[in-house]
Amino acid sequence: MAGCGTDKADDGNTRVTAAVQAGDKYNDTDVMYLQMMVAHHEQGLEMVRIAEGRATKPELATLVKAVDVTQADEVTMMKEWLTSWSRPATVDHAPSAHADHGGLPAIGPEEMKALRQAQGSEFESTFINLFVAHQHNAVEMANMERTGGANEETKAFAERVRQSRTDQIRQLLTMLNS
């Protein structure tokens, strides 16, 4: 998990809150990284939620469920950090605005449509190939934050992203080749 906890809102409903606070020292790279990762995670969540009911390999089904839980918590944390800095959680979606630092989600509308339409074993290979590219994009963005960010918590988060997504890529490639 990404360091999130739960508490009761005033209306009695449970809400998730970030247990790790980012602190007040940050720069534009930290803000841009978190904004880009929110958009990236939201696309990743869309992808794994498509896969959750369709993955037939047990190891893939387990992975997509774990990614769903982890990335949903991470989105909550990133949005809370941005809010604490009085910065928006949204990002400029113009591709040229982010080309020099990893870009926005690498999976376009055509690829998402192909994923939704894929059936059977074609679905799993399509998902794995697209998700490998998606997670590689996360690693690239994490590397940008690790070298240019100022906020220690954000840089530590980027390192966790780099390590976990690299491991997921290895797992996915093993599944693809088995």
Side-chain angles (χ1 to χ4, degrees), residues 33 135 138-139 142-143 146 155-171:
Y33 171 68
Q135 296 302 60
V139 171
N143 287 335
R146 291 172 54 237
K155 289 169 68 170
F157 171 62
E159 176 59 19
R160 290 190 304 274
V161 166
R162 186 193 67 76
Q163 290 175 1
S164 66
R165 280 33 172 207
T166 298
D167 184 55
Q168 289 172 9
I169 291 168
R170 282 190 202 108
Q171 290 176 55

Side-chain angles (χ1 to χ4, degrees), residues 88-149:
T90 57
V91 66
D92 182 350
H93 279 38
S96 61
H98 306 284
D100 293 338
H101 44 258
L104 286 171
I107 310 306
E110 298 82 22
E111 291 90 354
M112 290 299 289
K113 181 179 179 182
L115 179 62
R116 283 186 195 88
Q117 293 176 343
Q119 299 295 319
S121 62
E122 177 192 355
F123 172 79
E124 287 192 348
S125 64
T126 300
F127 173 80
I128 290 171
N129 280 302
L130 291 175
F131 209 64
V132 164
H134 179 82
Q135 296 302 60
H136 176 75
N137 190 246
V139 171
E140 292 298 312
M141 289 188 288
N143 287 335
M144 180 259 324
E145 168 61 23
R146 291 172 54 237
T147 59

Side-chain angles (χ1 to χ4, degrees), residues 12-152:
N13 291 322
T14 301
R15 76 175 166 221
V16 177
T17 58
V20 177
Q21 301 302 312
D24 294 333
K25 180 184 174 193
Y26 65 92
N27 65 14
D28 288 344
T29 300
D30 298 311
V31 172
M32 178 178 55
Y33 171 68
L34 292 176
Q35 290 171 334
M36 289 171 49
M37 286 302 284
V38 167
H40 186 268
H41 274 44
E42 288 171 346
Q43 183 181 63
L45 287 167
E46 180 182 358
M47 293 174 74
V48 297
R49 289 173 182 162
I50 292 169
E52 280 180 343
R54 299 175 63 190
T56 58
K57 291 182 180 179
E59 62 270 25
L60 182 56
T62 299
L63 179 66
V64 298
K65 286 178 186 171
V67 168
D68 190 342
V69 170
T70 301
Q71 288 194 7
D73 279 354
E74 289 172 348
V75 167
T76 298
M77 180 189 72
M78 291 185 289
K79 286 181 175 181
E80 286 190 11
W81 288 0
L82 288 164
T83 298
S84 76
W85 296 338
S86 300
R87 302 303 293 264
T90 57
V91 66
D92 182 350
H93 279 38
S96 61
H98 306 284
D100 293 338
H101 44 258
L104 286 171
I107 310 306
E110 298 82 22
E111 291 90 354
M112 290 299 289
K113 181 179 179 182
L115 179 62
R116 283 186 195 88
Q117 293 176 343
Q119 299 295 319
S121 62
E122 177 192 355
F123 172 79
E124 287 192 348
S125 64
T126 300
F127 173 80
I128 290 171
N129 280 302
L130 291 175
F131 209 64
V132 164
H134 179 82
Q135 296 302 60
H136 176 75
N137 190 246
V139 171
E140 292 298 312
M141 289 188 288
N143 287 335
M144 180 259 324
E145 168 61 23
R146 291 172 54 237
T147 59
N151 182 272
E152 291 306 317

